[in-house]
Coordinates of all heavy atoms in Angstrom, one line a residue:
L1 N -7.8 -0.3 60.4 CA -6.7 -0.9 61.1 C -5.4 -0.2 60.7 O -5.2 0.0 59.5 CB -6.6 -2.4 60.8 CG -7.8 -3.4 61.1 CD1 -7.4 -4.8 60.8 CD2 -8.2 -3.1 62.6
V2 N -4.7 0.3 61.6 CA -3.4 0.9 61.3 C -2.2 0.6 62.1 O -2.4 0.4 63.4 CB -3.7 2.5 61.4 CG1 -4.1 2.8 62.9 CG2 -2.5 3.4 61.1
D3 N -1.1 0.5 61.5 CA 0.1 0.2 62.3 C 1.2 1.3 61.6 O 0.8 2.1 60.9 CB 0.6 -1.2 62.3 CG 0.9 -1.8 61.0 OD1 1.0 -1.0 60.0 OD2 1.0 -3.0 60.9
Q4 N 2.4 0.8 61.7 CA 3.5 1.7 61.4 C 3.7 1.7 59.8 O 4.3 2.7 59.2 CB 4.9 1.3 62.0 CG 4.9 1.4 63.4 CD 4.7 2.9 63.9 OE1 5.5 3.7 63.4 NE2 3.9 3.1 64.8
T5 N 3.2 0.7 59.1 CA 3.5 0.6 57.7 C 2.2 0.6 56.8 O 2.3 1.0 55.7 CB 4.4 -0.7 57.4 OG1 3.6 -1.9 57.8 CG2 5.6 -0.5 58.0
R6 N 1.1 0.1 57.4 CA -0.1 -0.1 56.5 C -1.3 0.4 57.3 O -1.4 0.4 58.5 CB -0.2 -1.5 56.1 CG -0.3 -2.5 57.1 CD -0.7 -3.9 56.6 NE 0.1 -4.4 55.5 CZ 1.2 -5.1 55.7 NH1 1.7 -5.3 56.9 NH2 2.0 -5.4 54.6
L7 N -2.3 0.9 56.4 CA -3.6 1.3 56.9 C -4.6 0.6 56.0 O -4.7 0.7 54.7 CB -3.7 2.9 56.7 CG -5.1 3.5 56.9 CD1 -5.7 3.3 58.2 CD2 -5.0 5.0 56.5
I8 N -5.5 -0.1 56.8 CA -6.5 -0.9 55.9 C -7.8 -0.3 56.3 O -8.2 -0.1 57.5 CB -6.4 -2.4 56.4 CG1 -5.1 -2.9 56.0 CG2 -7.7 -3.2 55.6 CD1 -5.0 -4.5 56.4
L9 N -8.6 0.1 55.2 CA -9.9 0.7 55.5 C -10.9 -0.2 55.7 O -11.0 -1.3 55.0 CB -10.2 1.6 54.3 CG -9.8 3.0 54.4 CD1 -8.3 3.2 54.5 CD2 -10.3 4.0 53.2
P10 N -12.1 0.0 56.3 CA -13.3 -0.8 56.4 C -14.1 -0.8 55.0 O -13.9 0.3 54.2 CB -14.1 -0.2 57.5 CG -13.7 1.3 57.4 CD -12.3 1.3 57.1
A11 N -14.9 -1.6 54.9 CA -15.7 -1.5 53.7 C -16.8 -0.5 53.8 O -17.5 -0.3 54.9 CB -16.4 -3.0 53.4
Y12 N -16.9 0.3 52.8 CA -17.9 1.5 52.8 C -19.3 1.0 52.4 O -20.2 1.6 52.8 CB -17.3 2.5 52.0 CG -18.0 3.9 52.0 CD1 -17.6 4.7 53.0 CD2 -19.0 4.2 51.4 CE1 -18.1 6.0 53.2 CE2 -19.7 5.7 51.5 CZ -19.2 6.5 52.4 OH -19.7 7.7 52.5
G13 N -19.4 0.0 51.5 CA -20.7 -0.3 51.0 C -21.7 -0.9 51.8 O -21.3 -1.6 52.8
T14 N -22.9 -0.9 51.6 CA -24.0 -1.5 52.4 C -24.0 -3.0 51.9 O -23.7 -3.4 50.9 CB -25.3 -0.9 51.9 OG1 -25.3 0.5 52.3 CG2 -26.5 -1.5 52.7
Y15 N -24.4 -3.8 52.8 CA -24.4 -5.3 52.8 C -23.0 -5.8 52.6 O -22.9 -7.0 52.1 CB -25.2 -5.8 51.5 CG -26.7 -5.5 51.5 CD1 -27.4 -5.4 50.3 CD2 -27.4 -5.1 52.7 CE1 -28.7 -5.1 50.3 CE2 -28.8 -4.8 52.6 CZ -29.3 -4.8 51.5 OH -30.7 -4.3 51.4
T16 N -21.9 -5.2 53.0 CA -20.6 -5.8 52.7 C -20.0 -6.8 53.8 O -19.1 -7.4 53.6 CB -19.5 -4.6 52.6 OG1 -19.7 -3.6 53.6 CG2 -19.8 -4.0 51.2
G17 N -20.6 -6.6 55.0 CA -20.2 -7.6 56.1 C -18.7 -7.3 56.5 O -18.1 -6.2 56.1
G18 N -17.9 -8.2 57.1 CA -16.7 -7.9 57.6 C -15.9 -9.0 58.2 O -16.5 -10.0 58.5
L19 N -14.7 -8.9 58.2 CA -13.7 -9.8 58.8 C -13.3 -9.4 60.2 O -12.6 -8.2 60.3 CB -12.5 -10.2 57.9 CG -11.5 -11.1 58.3 CD1 -12.1 -12.5 58.2 CD2 -10.3 -11.2 57.4
R20 N -13.3 -10.1 61.2 CA -13.0 -9.6 62.6 C -11.5 -9.4 62.6 O -10.7 -10.1 62.0 CB -13.3 -10.7 63.7 CG -14.8 -10.9 63.9 CD -15.0 -11.7 65.1 NE -16.4 -11.9 65.3 CZ -17.2 -11.2 65.9 NH1 -16.7 -9.9 66.4 NH2 -18.5 -11.4 66.1
S21 N -11.1 -8.4 63.3 CA -9.7 -8.0 63.5 C -8.9 -9.2 64.1 O -7.6 -9.3 63.9 CB -9.4 -6.8 64.3 OG -9.9 -7.0 65.7
S22 N -9.4 -10.0 64.8 CA -8.8 -11.2 65.5 C -8.5 -12.4 64.4 O -7.9 -13.3 64.9 CB -9.7 -11.7 66.6 OG -10.9 -12.1 66.3
D23 N -9.1 -12.3 63.2 CA -8.9 -13.3 62.4 C -7.4 -13.4 61.9 O -6.6 -12.5 61.9 CB -9.6 -13.0 61.0 CG -9.6 -14.1 60.0 OD1 -8.6 -14.2 59.2 OD2 -10.6 -15.0 60.1
H24 N -6.9 -14.7 61.7 CA -5.6 -14.9 61.5 C -5.0 -14.1 60.4 O -3.9 -13.5 60.4 CB -5.3 -16.5 61.2 CG -3.9 -16.6 60.7 ND1 -2.8 -16.7 61.7 CD2 -3.3 -16.9 59.5 CE1 -1.7 -17.0 61.0 NE2 -2.0 -17.1 59.7
A25 N -5.8 -13.8 59.3 CA -5.3 -13.1 58.2 C -4.9 -11.8 58.5 O -3.9 -11.2 58.0 CB -6.3 -13.1 57.0
L26 N -5.7 -11.1 59.4 CA -5.4 -9.7 59.8 C -4.3 -9.7 60.8 O -3.5 -8.8 60.9 CB -6.7 -9.0 60.1 CG -7.7 -8.7 59.1 CD1 -9.0 -8.2 59.6 CD2 -7.1 -7.8 58.2
N27 N -4.3 -10.6 61.8 CA -3.3 -10.7 62.7 C -2.0 -10.8 62.2 O -0.9 -10.2 62.7 CB -3.6 -12.0 63.7 CG -4.2 -11.5 65.0 OD1 -3.6 -10.7 65.6 ND2 -5.3 -12.1 65.4
A28 N -1.8 -11.6 61.2 CA -0.6 -11.8 60.4 C -0.1 -10.6 59.7 O 1.1 -10.3 59.5 CB -0.7 -12.9 59.4
L29 N -1.0 -9.7 59.4 CA -0.7 -8.5 58.6 C -0.2 -7.4 59.4 O 0.8 -6.5 59.2 CB -1.8 -8.1 57.7 CG -2.1 -8.8 56.4 CD1 -3.3 -8.5 55.7 CD2 -1.0 -8.7 55.4
M30 N -1.0 -7.2 60.5 CA -0.8 -5.9 61.3 C 0.3 -6.2 62.5 O 0.3 -7.2 63.1 CB -2.1 -5.5 62.0 CG -3.2 -5.4 61.0 SD -2.8 -4.3 59.7 CE -2.7 -2.7 60.5
G31 N 1.1 -5.1 62.7 CA 2.1 -5.2 63.8 C 1.6 -5.2 65.2 O 0.4 -5.0 65.4
D32 N 2.3 -5.4 66.1 CA 1.9 -5.7 67.4 C 1.3 -4.6 68.1 O 0.5 -4.7 68.9 CB 3.2 -6.0 68.4 CG 3.9 -7.4 68.0 OD1 3.1 -8.2 67.4 OD2 5.0 -7.6 68.3
R33 N 1.7 -3.2 67.7 CA 1.1 -2.1 68.3 C 0.0 -1.5 67.3 O -0.4 -0.3 67.5 CB 2.2 -1.0 68.5 CG 3.2 -1.5 69.6 CD 4.1 -0.4 70.0 NE 5.0 -0.1 68.8 CZ 5.9 1.0 68.8 NH1 5.9 1.8 69.9 NH2 6.8 1.1 67.8
A34 N -0.6 -2.3 66.5 CA -1.8 -1.8 65.6 C -2.9 -1.3 66.4 O -3.2 -1.9 67.4 CB -2.0 -3.0 64.7
M35 N -3.5 -0.4 65.9 CA -4.7 0.3 66.4 C -6.0 0.0 65.6 O -5.8 -0.1 64.4 CB -4.6 1.7 66.7 CG -3.4 2.1 67.6 SD -3.4 1.5 69.3 CE -4.6 2.5 69.9
A36 N -7.1 0.0 66.1 CA -8.3 -0.2 65.4 C -9.3 1.1 65.7 O -9.3 1.6 66.8 CB -9.1 -1.4 65.8
I37 N -9.7 1.6 64.7 CA -10.7 2.9 64.8 C -12.1 2.5 64.3 O -12.2 2.2 63.2 CB -10.1 4.0 63.9 CG1 -8.7 4.4 64.4 CG2 -11.0 5.2 64.2 CD1 -8.1 5.5 63.4
L38 N -12.8 2.3 65.4 CA -14.2 1.8 65.2 C -15.1 3.0 64.5 O -15.0 4.1 64.9 CB -14.9 1.1 66.3 CG -14.5 -0.1 66.8 CD1 -13.1 -0.3 67.3 CD2 -15.5 -0.7 67.9
T39 N -15.9 2.7 63.4 CA -16.7 3.6 62.9 C -18.0 3.7 63.6 O -18.3 3.0 64.6 CB -17.0 3.1 61.4 OG1 -17.6 2.0 61.4 CG2 -15.7 3.0 60.6
G40 N -18.8 4.8 63.2 CA -20.2 4.8 63.8 C -20.2 6.5 64.1 O -19.4 7.3 63.9
H41 N -21.3 6.8 64.8 CA -21.6 8.1 65.2 C -20.5 8.7 66.1 O -20.2 9.9 66.2 CB -23.0 8.3 65.9 CG -24.1 8.1 65.0 ND1 -24.3 8.9 63.9 CD2 -25.0 7.1 65.0 CE1 -25.4 8.3 63.2 NE2 -25.9 7.3 63.9
Q42 N -19.9 7.9 67.0 CA -18.8 8.3 67.9 C -17.7 7.3 67.6 O -17.5 6.2 68.3 CB -19.2 8.2 69.2 CG -20.3 9.3 69.6 CD -20.6 9.3 71.1 OE1 -20.8 8.2 71.7 NE2 -20.7 10.5 71.7
P43 N -16.7 7.5 66.6 CA -15.6 6.7 66.3 C -14.8 6.6 67.6 O -14.7 7.6 68.4 CB -15.0 7.4 65.1 CG -15.9 8.3 64.5 CD -16.8 8.7 65.7
Q44 N -14.2 5.4 67.8 CA -13.4 5.2 68.8 C -12.1 4.4 68.5 O -12.2 3.5 67.6 CB -14.1 4.3 69.8 CG -15.4 4.9 70.5 CD -16.1 4.1 71.7 OE1 -15.4 3.8 72.6 NE2 -17.2 3.7 71.3

């Protein structure tokens, strides 16, 4: 997750799970124009 001031990395480890970007905790942190870069064989 990236905006003008902060970049939050995904968990790298196996079995780590995750928090949806729509969760209030992340919504409150990230600016209105924040972008998400999805990982995988073809990052988007």
Side-chain angles (χ1 to χ4, degrees):
L1 303 181
V2 58
D3 64 13
Q4 296 299 308
T5 59
R6 54 172 55 88
L7 167 60
I8 302 179
L9 268 61
Y12 193 89
T14 303
Y15 297 160
T16 46
L19 183 67
R20 290 187 184 278
S21 62
S22 57
D23 187 274
H24 173 74
L26 290 172
N27 255 309
L29 286 171
M30 305 305 294
D32 292 341
R33 293 186 292 173
M35 305 298 289
I37 303 174
L38 280 68
T39 60
H41 292 298
Q42 293 183 317
Q44 298 184 61

